[in-house]
Amino acid sequence: MIGTGACQNNNYKIVLINGLTMGTTYSIKIKTADAVVNQEKIRADIEKILLEINQKMSTYIVDSELSVINFSNSLDSNLISDDLFKVISHANTISKTTNGAFDITVGPLVNLWGFGPNKSENKIPSNEEIELIKKNIGYKKIYLNKETTSIKKLHPDLYVDLSGIAKGFAVDKIALYLNSYNLENYLVEIGGELIAKGTNEDNEVWQIGIENPNNNLVKIIGLKDIAMATSGDYRNYFEKNGVRYSHTINPNTGKPIKHKLASVTVLDKTAMNADALATAFMVLGPAKTIELANELKIGVYLIIKNDENFYEEYNEYFEPFISK
Ligand code: ADP
Ligand code: MG
């Protein structure tokens, strides 16, 4: 499903491009006064960018650049593409910032809990199984060499899962592509991770809604020249014996996160950062999230469960973006 469309407003043309990628949907809106902007070319280029990123980073494509490394037990160095290197090395930076809450080597645990590419019937693994797999986990078991853009596994069973960061990277990459065409007003979104630049068709900042699971009320956020990502445990989970198991894994325990944070929305300069931090914050829980976000001076908006309901909490860096 790929759509392209355009509508006219205030002498501006809005170009809409949407489709499916990375197991989710994407949607791009470009405002342009330039009647000659070649919509079909932009659409084709964006499709190509997304296909290339998937062919490098997907764990769902068995012959992707990443899968080939994941399936190999070799401890030799592997030369990798600049993009793959950039994402893995950025992921490790976020791991350090979040004290290991974000960790792309959790892949085997994601798979063990039935959320990965070989999606099985969701079962609850035994503590022994978890402990055994935890031996292969840890971002410090990835050795990166910047000079040669190569990666080396420090454990033969190391397996890297970029699902918590690749969407953000792709959003940033598409934004860079649009910038290169001097397009200055757009909204690029993949599966809820997005970047907003300039203004919308009404010459206002882009307006984004955050759903509240409580009452279907939507919080409206006005975004300009900033990226936003949301992680939530009320979308992708399974339920067994009345317990919800989230697809976000706490690398420390080897188990899906279990606390009162229902969702976290992060504002940051890049979508890659916001995407990874949102997942990390889900692991850290409400109190540590607010503390770290304030330290990093980035905006966060949390939806927290109490017994019956959900309530919201946000910090001073998020507040200026709330429209209503
Ligand atoms: P969400 O929008 O809920 O953050 P994402 O798709 O962005 O969802 O990221 C969740 C995915 O990241 C999981 O499906 C899993 O593949 C991977 N993941 C789970 N736990 C972690 C973690 N602690 N660190 C990094 N990646 C994780
Ligand atoms: Mg994420």
Side-chain angles (χ1 to χ4, degrees):
M1 182 196 75
I2 295 153
T4 318
C7 65
Q8 205 87 32
N9 202 350
N10 302 341
N11 300 321
Y12 283 110
K13 187 167 128 183
I14 292 282
V15 177
L16 301 172
I17 300 170
N18 50 58
L20 296 176
T21 189
M22 301 182 172
T24 184
T25 56
Y26 73 89
S27 146
I28 296 156
K29 287 184 185 176
I30 309 162
K31 180 175 80 167
T32 169
D34 180 2
V36 296
V37 62
N38 187 338
Q39 243 187 87
E40 284 314 308
K41 176 173 174 7
I42 291 179
R43 189 186 61 74
D45 286 350
I46 287 173
E47 283 250 300
K48 187 161 170 270
I49 291 170
L50 290 171
L51 282 174
E52 280 173 2
I53 294 174
N54 271 310
Q55 196 53 43
K56 286 172 186 162
M57 303 182 194
S58 176
T59 44
Y60 291 75
I61 299 174
V62 287
D63 66 351
S64 72
E65 195 185 356
L66 181 61
S67 288
V68 171
I69 296 167
N70 276 341
F71 294 138
S72 152
N73 291 328
S74 160
L75 298 175
D76 294 342
S77 279
N78 288 285
L79 223 80
I80 54 174
S81 63
D82 288 346
D83 280 352
L84 188 57
F85 189 90
K86 185 177 169 191
V87 175
I88 295 177
S89 97
H90 196 76
N92 281 358
T93 305
I94 303 273
S95 297
K96 286 184 199 120
T97 311
T98 61
N99 207 5
F102 186 77
D103 192 327
I104 53 174
T105 67
V106 293
L109 288 168
V110 174
N111 294 339
L112 180 70
W113 284 91
F115 289 108
N118 37 0
K119 224 179 168 88
S120 55
E121 195 211 327
N122 292 116
K123 58 180 171 65
I124 298 160
S126 68
N127 283 338
E128 289 74 31
E129 278 177 291
I130 295 169
E131 287 310 315
L132 200 66
I133 290 202
K134 267 181 77 184
K135 292 194 170 66
N136 320 337
I137 312 292
Y139 69 97
K140 290 178 183 156
K141 296 186 175 78
I142 305 173
Y143 176 76
L144 294 170
N145 185 328
K146 207 172 172 184
E147 262 77 67
T148 53
T149 59
S150 57
I151 184 172
K152 182 174 147 57
K153 290 183 177 188
L154 302 180
H155 188 294
D157 294 327
L158 193 83
Y159 173 105
V160 169
D161 170 10
L162 296 176
S163 307
I165 189 168
K167 291 193 288 284
F169 173 79
V171 166
D172 292 334
K173 186 122 187 172
I174 292 171
L176 280 178
Y177 163 80
L178 296 174
N179 293 347
S180 76
Y181 276 80
N182 294 325
L183 295 163
E184 286 166 347
N185 301 286
Y186 55 74
L187 182 69
V188 176
E189 181 259 340
I190 303 178
E193 331 296 18
L194 56 94
I195 198 159
K197 192 164 180 215
T199 54
N200 68 10
E201 56 268 47
D202 302 318
N203 291 326
E204 288 170 350
V205 297
W206 296 93
Q207 306 285 317
I208 315 292
I210 303 176
E211 256 179 277
N212 187 327
N214 218 12
N215 44 18
N216 300 320
L217 276 185
V218 174
K219 190 123 213 136
I220 307 292
I221 313 299
L223 296 179
K224 188 181 185 195
D225 304 338
I226 196 158
M228 177 175 126
T230 301
S231 276
D233 85 339
Y234 57 92
R235 282 252 169 97
N236 198 343
Y237 65 90
F238 72 88
E239 203 159 319
K240 210 156 198 154
N241 302 329
V243 182
R244 271 187 181 205
Y245 294 92
S246 159
H247 73 145
T248 304
I249 305 288
N250 182 338
N252 228 342
T253 60
K255 295 177 182 171
I257 52 165
K258 241 193 214 164
H259 49 61
K260 299 193 176 310
L261 191 51
S263 89
V264 53
T265 297
V266 181
L267 301 177
D268 207 343
K269 287 195 191 74
T270 67
M272 174 159 71
N273 240 3
D275 189 7
L277 280 176
T279 299
F281 287 153
M282 285 304 293
V283 174
L284 290 174
K288 284 188 182 153
T289 291
I290 296 280
E291 193 184 311
L292 182 55
N294 287 343
E295 197 184 301
L296 298 172
K297 296 189 167 54
I298 56 168
V300 284
Y301 173 83
L302 317 181
I303 297 176
I304 304 167
K305 277 173 249 163
N306 59 22
D307 296 340
E308 301 268 297
N309 279 313
F310 296 88
Y311 65 98
E312 60 177 28
E313 203 173 309
Y314 48 84
N315 66 357
E316 61 178 295
Y317 303 102
F318 192 89
E319 194 170 2
F321 296 90
I322 299 173
S323 302
K324 66 173 188 288

